[in-house]
Amino acid sequence: MTSDRTSWMLVDHDVPQEEPILRRLAALILTTATLTACGQSEGSQDPLQVAETLEAAKPAHSPAQNGTPPGEIKPGGTFQDGGTTLKFQVNGKDVELDRLRSAVFEMTKDDKGAETRGAGLRAGDGATNAVADRYGRLLVVDTRGGEFIAFSINPLIMRQRYPVPGSPYGIAYDAKRDIAWITLTERNEVVGLNVAAGEPAEKYRFSTVRQPNTVSVDQESGRVTVTSGDNGGIQVISP
């Protein structure tokens, strides 16, 4: 938008001869200031920081339940959010998910042997949770962007990006069946994606207890446990 405005300002022939020079100078200053502002936040040299004030994404406030969800439901359900940085071991590398910057980083060592961040990639608009799979990837949910994103590690490359509308938040991985289970807090649902192929494919979808903030899976039986974050119950599903 800035470039269009600048071009318009430079092609103005209905002014005295002295004014085009001043207009060109003003346009150059405006363009430079705009590009600088778009490139980074004030006071920050971090290329992955796109906002002056960083805030981790939160699960959506779930609507009231519509009917009785399937499976066995026990009373209870509480929730404690994780910190702003989640740590993982993937493909022999230490990896961090920075929830404030919505970015994945490979960890490395500096010249003094201290752990520091190496290569980093943006993980959507508001990544919140992740889990490692058996293929050496980090499976990430982008809560703000409504997406599932898979990164291979060492080297760090984005491999898959798949839409999962409904404010995805909790994630668990069934390594025996290659199913990534993702809760959708905006819809009171849990979806199971087969992640073994080149592109994820939806295999399961169930309604859940209200506010399904967390999910886990039994690696032997494949049973999925969804836990409400607001005392809405603990649900066990056998797909």
Side-chain angles (χ1 to χ4, degrees):
M1 187 172 182
T2 302
S3 60
D4 292 341
R5 180 175 175 80
T6 302
S7 300
W8 175 83
M9 292 177 73
L10 293 178
V11 186
D12 190 345
H13 304 291
D14 299 325
V15 294
Q17 190 170 358
E18 296 83 6
E19 289 196 21
I21 297 176
L22 297 177
R23 285 178 176 265
R24 288 184 177 89
L25 180 60
L28 178 61
I29 294 172
L30 178 62
T31 302
T32 303
T34 302
L35 291 176
T36 301
C38 292
Q40 65 185 95
S41 302
E42 183 180 355
S44 172
Q45 300 300 317
D46 184 349
L48 289 180
Q49 180 173 331
V50 295
E52 185 173 350
T53 302
L54 299 178
E55 183 178 356
K58 300 291 184 182
H61 182 70
S62 295
Q65 281 180 299
N66 193 4
T68 302
E72 178 187 0
I73 300 177
K74 304 175 183 179
T78 59
F79 173 67
Q80 184 174 357
D81 202 359
T84 57
T85 300
L86 304 183
K87 300 178 182 292
F88 304 90
Q89 175 87 188
V90 188
N91 200 20
K93 291 278 292 185
D94 290 327
V95 180
E96 288 187 356
L97 172 63
D98 187 328
R99 302 171 89 182
L100 294 177
R101 287 167 177 78
S102 189
V104 174
F105 292 92
E106 285 187 348
M107 304 304 292
T108 185
K109 303 284 185 181
D110 63 17
D111 54 3
K112 296 182 180 179
E115 189 175 54
T116 186
R117 285 179 171 178
L121 283 179
R122 176 72 55 199
D125 298 325
T128 51
N129 290 298
V131 66
D133 73 2
R134 68 186 182 96
Y135 300 105
R137 301 176 302 187
L138 187 68
L139 311 180
V140 180
V141 287
D142 174 13
T143 299
R144 285 197 186 109
E147 290 185 316
F148 163 86
I149 307 173
F151 295 90
S152 63
I153 306 298
N154 198 21
L156 180 61
I157 300 172
M158 182 187 293
R159 295 292 187 185
Q160 296 178 346
R161 195 165 189 172
Y162 187 80
V164 279
S167 190
Y169 191 75
I171 184 170
Y173 173 65
D174 184 340
K176 189 173 181 180
R177 300 161 186 83
D178 285 319
I179 302 295
W181 290 97
I182 301 171
T183 64
L184 308 177
T185 57
E186 203 170 61
R187 299 182 175 184
N188 290 331
E189 290 180 343
V190 63
V191 61
L193 302 181
N194 187 312
V195 295
E199 180 179 339
E202 182 176 326
K203 190 171 182 180
Y204 302 103
R205 183 177 291 261
F206 300 102
S207 60
T208 67
V209 292
R210 186 175 54 81
Q211 202 61 54
N213 286 0
T214 57
V215 60
S216 61
V217 58
D218 185 284
Q219 297 296 322
E220 290 302 319
S221 67
R223 285 193 300 269
V224 177
T225 300
V226 178
T227 303
S228 166
D230 191 23
N231 200 35
I234 301 169
Q235 177 184 9
V236 180
I237 307 169
S238 297

